[in-house]
Amino acid sequence: MSQVTDSDPNPLDEIGADPFEIARQAAAEIAQATGVAHHDIALTLGSGWGQAADLMGETTATIPAADITGFSKPALAGHPGTLRSVLLPSGERALVIGARTHFYEGHGVRRVVHSVRAAAATGASIMILTNGAGSIRESWTPGTPVLIRDHINLTAASPLEGATFVDLTDLYSARLRSLAREIDASLGEGVYCQFRGPNYETPAEVQMAKAIGGHLVGMSTALEAIAARESGMEVLGMSLVTNFAAGIQTTPLSHEEVLSTGSAAQGRIGALLASIVGKL
Ligand code: 8IG
């Protein structure tokens, strides 16, 4: 593990740690803290997606993620760092993860995928991963939500350890994608390229991503999706285009642009995601 600091010690970083045992411990603590023994679905809400939780159902518990074993302290403003238990109209329970650990933080892949493994250990069988992303397609302007059809993992890392051969055909469930398109037939589908970050790409790197079949560029999701599949979950991935990728747009990229596009779109995409969850 490439641990850059011990100011936020984490049992996942200890020698001999079993990440699945730590995920089970986290799940037990989530059950205790929320009073909900079993969650049915889990959602990670990335840039712009935060409002979906309020529209999906009734939040019955909100807990600081950092209180739960294995979770890291929040690294970024706009990423609130909470776990919420939401009672859906169907009676099902959703675990809403507003606390993402990014690969670029340098704490290793185990920490990046811990929330997904913990969600699986709470019983969730569907994992919805959302993010903000840069678009390579000119027709996908900032503010456009897109379904992730497949990914290209450019991090040179994997959450799988040892000889764990996991099939990733249909990683992003065709069933869930078509369900989403029943809610909004205009939803496009694209291939998401996860770069390590935290720098945005050079224009040449964006052209490379395009040449190898990518449509969206970002810094999350692919590693989490792999871990979700390893844990047997069905995965839905969605990006909110917050900017054109470098070189597609001629103006410099900025985190402020990402945040303002996210806040402008959040009511609309939150409602979209809430309707999708209502159909699961
Ligand atoms: I939001 O253009 C967001 N995240 N790598 N590139 C990468 N990540 C991003 C981008 C982008 N926009």
Side-chain angles (χ1 to χ4, degrees), residues 2-20:
S2 54
Q3 192 177 326
V4 293
T5 172
D6 62 0
S7 67
D8 181 20
N10 189 303
L12 288 165
D13 303 336
E14 285 167 19
I15 292 165
D18 174 355
F20 295 97

Side-chain angles (χ1 to χ4, degrees), residues 47 132-134 195 199-201 217-219 242-246 253 258:
S47 303
F195 282 82
N199 56 281
Y200 296 116
E201 295 69 36
V217 289
M219 305 179 197
T242 53
N243 56 277
F244 284 117
L253 273 56
V258 164

Side-chain angles (χ1 to χ4, degrees), residues 37-260:
H38 176 104
H39 284 85
D40 302 289
I41 78 166
L43 303 93
T44 298
L45 300 182
S47 303
W49 294 92
Q51 255 187 29
D54 296 317
L55 302 167
M56 261 162 31
E58 176 202 347
T59 297
T60 61
T62 303
I63 55 182
D67 289 0
I68 303 296
T69 296
F71 281 78
S72 303
K73 288 184 189 139
L76 194 62
H79 290 238
T82 63
L83 303 176
R84 293 164 65 167
S85 184
V86 176
L87 174 59
L88 304 177
S90 63
E92 291 201 312
R93 302 281 182 165
L95 180 68
V96 178
I97 302 161
R100 187 173 243 151
T101 299
H102 288 88
F103 189 54
Y104 59 67
E105 292 171 51
H107 293 297
V109 196
R110 281 186 178 179
R111 290 219 213 172
V112 172
V113 302
H114 177 64
S115 61
V116 168
R117 288 180 172 152
T122 69
S125 58
I126 293 179
M127 185 75 228
I128 301 182
L129 297 168
T130 65
N131 60 50
S135 172
I136 300 177
R137 285 213 162 141
E138 309 219 349
S139 60
W140 291 345
T141 55
T144 307
V146 178
L147 292 167
I148 299 176
R149 167 164 51 84
D150 202 346
H151 78 223
I152 299 174
N153 173 9
L154 296 173
T155 66
S158 169
L160 310 185
E161 300 178 33
T164 310
F165 306 114
V166 171
D167 174 57
L168 301 181
T169 311
D170 196 34
L171 173 55
Y172 298 89
S173 162
R175 183 184 83 85
L176 296 180
R177 280 183 280 131
S178 76
L179 234 146
R181 283 195 315 271
E182 284 173 27
I183 301 284
D184 182 349
S186 74
L187 277 173
E189 298 195 356
V191 174
Y192 177 90
C193 296
Q194 180 175 359
F195 282 82
R196 181 191 182 280
N199 56 281
Y200 296 116
E201 295 69 36
T202 64
E205 288 164 345
V206 169
Q207 288 307 310
M208 176 196 74
K210 183 178 182 180
I212 63 178
H215 307 116
L216 300 158
V217 289
M219 305 179 197
S220 68
T221 303
L223 295 170
E224 295 155 56
I226 295 168
R229 169 48 59 91
E230 178 192 28
S231 292
M233 300 163 99
E234 211 178 357
V235 179
L236 178 68
M238 292 187 82
S239 291
L240 170 69
V241 172
T242 53
N243 56 277
F244 284 117
I248 307 290
Q249 73 176 44
T250 50
T251 54
L253 273 56
S254 76
H255 188 55
E256 289 64 41
E257 174 194 12
V258 164
L259 293 179
S260 68

